[in-house]
Amino acid sequence: DIFLPYVENGWIILIGATTENPSFKLNSALLSRCRVFVLERLSDVEIETILSKAIERVAPREVTPEPKQEATSSQTLIETSEDMSKSPENSGVISSAAPPLRQVSPQIMKTIINLSLGDARTALSLLEMVLTAPAKASDAGLIAHLRRSVSSRYDRSGEDRYDMISALHKSIRGSDGSAALYWLARMLTAGEDPLYIARRLIVVASEDVGLADNHALPLAVATYTASQTIGMPECRINLAHCVTYLAEAPKSTRSYEAYQRAEEAAKADETAPVPMHLRNAPTQMMKDMKYGEGYKYNPAYKHPVFQEYLPPMLSSAKFLLEEGDMTGKIWDEAALRQWEWRQNGGREWPLRSNAGAAAETRQSDYDPTAPRTIESR
């Protein structure tokens, strides 16, 4: 905050650099008055180019000697046969005194590139470890040493944490159990608190699985309790169980979306009164004021009864849609074709005809590289 008035009045020009996400680390008011330049990671090809140039630069060079000048009349040159045999002219090459460097195999080069994560400094440090390693060290042992030497980029207070928990959540939402288990393993092996993951799984159970499987929420809560009780490393098994179940469970966002619609209406008018027949009347005075008058106690009837439960201005509002109601949903023919081809083995989605597709899709006439038209219904 101390910089804000100085930047705002143009008294100073603020220039900074950070390895963190500025939107997490900087005051939003200060950030809005700055221009952010993102320095992207280097590509694998760029890292490989840097490493190749570094190897070329430090490799021992063979030096060709300069031609010997003819002796002048005032010079006397006496060379014995022993001197001649030791003369570099006999070989035509003078070797550098530097010891030979270890050869970098393609597998080690690939490992360095992967571990560097687009950071040239990290890549060069790893390369130095390889070039100075004992000649007798095996490639497998050297690769293991490289992996141990690189500290994890995972920061439990930084952007990586939120990116990975987001990837886990979205993989479960997309019913990709393999991807979900991968991101779970990435977080746990990096030292993430298992309870942090378990809390997110409780949210997923209601937000994404919801009414489609009412067993999901009790399982997620039980997973949190199990993780809290036994801790790591055993609770990773409980977390994997829950993640797999949630990924394979049917999905429904009816309750989640219904609440969002209800919340929007509630915020739009926070003064809407509770209908008189729905009000509580614990005292005689409130009964005299007709609180609760006209309320129909549903269990007392043998049949359904009608009464208004919303404020008068919202009497026609419908927040919770009927099961199967696709209002507001998107029909994307290209996205469905891609799913059928990539994830369903080229087979048509069984509900394609029921969902109102324009035409059937056959595996034989589908070219995944061809442009597609997106239809909305």
Side-chain angles (χ1 to χ4, degrees):
D1 292 343
I2 194 172
F3 288 111
L4 185 58
Y6 298 96
V7 172
E8 195 168 34
N9 290 309
W11 296 337
I12 65 170
I13 298 175
L14 179 64
I15 301 175
T18 177
T19 57
E20 303 294 336
N21 187 326
S23 60
F24 291 163
K25 301 296 182 179
L26 288 185
N27 181 302
S28 59
L30 179 62
L31 186 61
S32 67
R33 290 161 175 78
C34 297
R35 177 175 293 182
V36 178
F37 297 92
V38 180
L39 303 180
E40 301 290 351
R41 296 178 180 178
L42 297 177
S43 68
D44 288 354
V45 174
E46 291 168 333
I47 291 291
E48 185 174 9
T49 300
I50 291 171
L51 292 173
S52 299
K53 289 183 176 180
I55 294 172
E56 181 182 351
R57 182 171 181 177
V58 301
R61 289 181 173 81
E62 294 183 341
V63 182
T64 302
E66 296 181 359
K68 184 177 179 181
Q69 296 181 354
E70 294 183 3
T72 61
S73 57
S74 60
Q75 292 177 322
T76 303
L77 181 61
I78 302 175
E79 293 183 345
T80 63
S81 58
E82 182 179 356
D83 294 332
M84 289 292 292
S85 64
K86 295 180 179 179
S87 173
E89 291 180 10
N90 290 343
S91 62
V93 171
I94 298 177
S95 299
S96 170
L101 295 176
R102 180 190 179 94
Q103 294 297 314
V104 181
S105 67
Q107 185 61 35
I108 290 180
M109 179 70 80
K110 182 179 179 181
T111 300
I112 293 175
I113 293 172
N114 290 339
L115 293 176
S116 69
L117 297 174
D119 188 328
R121 294 170 298 179
T122 301
L124 291 173
S125 297
L126 294 173
L127 176 62
E128 183 179 10
M129 293 176 59
V130 172
L131 296 179
T132 57
K136 62 181 180 180
S138 65
D139 281 4
L142 193 53
I143 289 173
H145 181 62
L146 291 175
R147 293 186 185 280
R148 289 193 300 268
S149 68
V150 177
S151 60
S152 172
R153 287 187 64 253
Y154 188 82
D155 181 1
R156 287 171 58 178
S157 63
E159 184 176 1
D160 284 340
R161 180 191 211 193
Y162 302 108
D163 286 345
M164 287 193 191
I165 197 66
S166 176
L168 171 61
H169 190 154
K170 290 180 172 67
S171 298
I172 294 174
R173 180 182 294 152
S175 299
D176 192 329
S178 296
L181 288 169
Y182 170 78
W183 292 116
L184 171 66
R186 279 287 300 274
M187 297 183 76
L188 290 177
T189 55
E192 181 55 76
D193 179 5
L195 296 183
Y196 171 73
I197 301 174
R199 284 193 292 270
R200 177 58 72 96
L201 296 181
I202 294 174
V203 175
V204 173
S206 287
E207 178 182 341
D208 296 287
V209 177
L211 299 172
D213 186 347
N214 290 319
H215 297 292
L217 182 56
L219 176 62
V221 173
T223 300
Y224 181 90
T225 303
S227 300
Q228 194 174 38
T229 303
I230 65 175
M232 284 291 285
E234 288 83 0
C235 75
R236 75 191 192 285
I237 304 170
N238 307 112
L239 290 167
H241 175 188
C242 186
V243 164
T244 303
Y245 184 92
L246 295 177
E248 294 187 346
K251 307 297 190 292
S252 170
T253 56
R254 281 179 65 216
S255 59
Y256 174 63
E257 292 176 356
Y259 175 77
Q260 288 184 309
R261 286 187 283 268
E263 183 179 60
E264 183 179 355
K267 289 179 177 179
D269 184 1
E270 298 181 354
T271 63
V274 177
M276 292 296 292
H277 65 283
L278 297 181
R279 296 187 185 187
N280 187 33
T283 67
Q284 186 60 45
M285 184 187 74
M286 298 172 80
K287 291 177 182 178
D288 294 341
M289 295 173 64
K290 298 186 178 180
Y291 277 38
E293 186 177 294
Y295 171 68
K296 301 181 183 72
Y297 181 62
N298 302 73
Y301 295 84
K302 295 182 178 180
H303 51 78
V305 294
F306 172 79
Q307 55 189 338
E308 288 287 356
Y309 295 100
L310 289 170
M313 65 286 295
L314 294 173
S315 60
S316 60
K318 188 75 171 177
F319 303 125
L320 180 61
L321 302 182
E322 298 295 330
E323 186 174 359
D325 189 333
M326 294 296 173
T327 301
K329 304 296 183 182
I330 300 170
W331 181 275
D332 189 330
E333 180 67 19
L336 177 57
R337 283 172 175 264
Q338 184 183 38
W339 178 86
E340 290 172 335
W341 182 259
R342 295 289 301 276
Q343 199 161 337
N344 205 39
R347 299 182 300 274
E348 290 184 354
W349 180 41
L351 301 180
R352 171 182 275 279
S353 58
N354 296 337
E360 294 184 355
T361 303
R362 300 183 183 278
Q363 178 179 353
S364 57
D365 62 8
Y366 175 55
D367 177 5
T369 63
R372 299 289 172 182
T373 302
I374 297 177
E375 302 177 2
S376 298
R377 287 178 171 79

